[in-house]
Amino acid sequence: QVPLVESGGGLVQAGGSLRLSCAASGRTFSTYAMGWFRQAPGKEREFVAAISWSGAYTYYADSVKGRFTISRDNAKNTVYLQMNSLKPEDTAVYYCAADRVPALKFTNIRNLEVWGQGTLVTVSS
């Protein structure tokens, strides 16, 4: 497994930007697909974005397509989520996840191998 630690959350005004980071430990990071999920108060956890182990393939929820960008740096064992044009409805705890399944699987499964502790993003109107 690769323990995950998210950072970069905070309070931002609508229309602003934030970049989340997820740092992984362990020498097998580059063999894992990575993803971001979010959970708003009173709602179920939902898929946001995923990236393949090589970075060649990315997938996004329709609600964030065109505004969010997932990327990874395998040399730094880190995956990023650049969030632009933020909306109040993007307010949630954002979680990083890792698994050795194909990144596409992140769009419809929740029992992934490793989860981070989450970082709170609050978007004010």
Side-chain angles (χ1 to χ4, degrees), residues 2 5 8 19-20 22 27 40 50 56 62 73-74 76 80 82 89 92 103 105 108 113 116 118:
V2 284
V5 179
R19 188 175 81 156
L20 305 183
C22 174
R27 292 175 289 180
D62 288 343
D73 185 338
N74 286 344
K76 296 182 178 180
Y80 304 98
Q82 178 66 43
E89 51 264 44
K105 294 286 189 182
N108 58 15
E113 184 175 340

Side-chain angles (χ1 to χ4, degrees), residues 46-70:
E46 65 175 0
F47 168 75
V48 175
I51 188 167
S52 62
W53 66 268
S54 66
Y57 301 97
T58 56
Y59 306 92
Y60 296 93
D62 288 343
S63 58
V64 306
K65 205 170 292 184
R67 300 188 298 123
F68 290 11
T69 302
I70 188 170

Side-chain angles (χ1 to χ4, degrees), residues 1-56:
Q1 289 194 344
V2 284
L4 306 173
V5 179
E6 301 99 332
S7 61
L11 174 65
V12 64
Q13 288 189 331
S17 298
L18 279 177
R19 188 175 81 156
L20 305 183
S21 298
C22 174
S25 59
R27 292 175 289 180
T28 59
F29 172 78
S30 62
T31 66
Y32 282 74
M34 303 292 296
W36 289 94
F37 293 77
R38 66 186 182 187
Q39 188 166 18
K43 295 187 177 181
E44 293 187 352
R45 190 172 298 188
E46 65 175 0
F47 168 75
V48 175
I51 188 167
S52 62
W53 66 268
S54 66

Side-chain angles (χ1 to χ4, degrees), residues 57-111:
Y57 301 97
T58 56
Y59 306 92
Y60 296 93
D62 288 343
S63 58
V64 306
K65 205 170 292 184
R67 300 188 298 123
F68 290 11
T69 302
I70 188 170
S71 62
R72 67 189 295 161
D73 185 338
N74 286 344
K76 296 182 178 180
N77 281 11
T78 302
V79 63
Y80 304 98
L81 185 68
Q82 178 66 43
M83 305 186 295
N84 299 329
S85 303
L86 283 161
K87 305 174 181 180
E89 51 264 44
D90 293 319
T91 295
V93 176
Y94 283 71
Y95 298 90
C96 178
D99 205 306
R100 283 168 282 195
V101 299
L104 179 59
K105 294 286 189 182
F106 283 52
T107 64
N108 58 15
I109 64 173
R110 297 295 177 264
N111 56 334

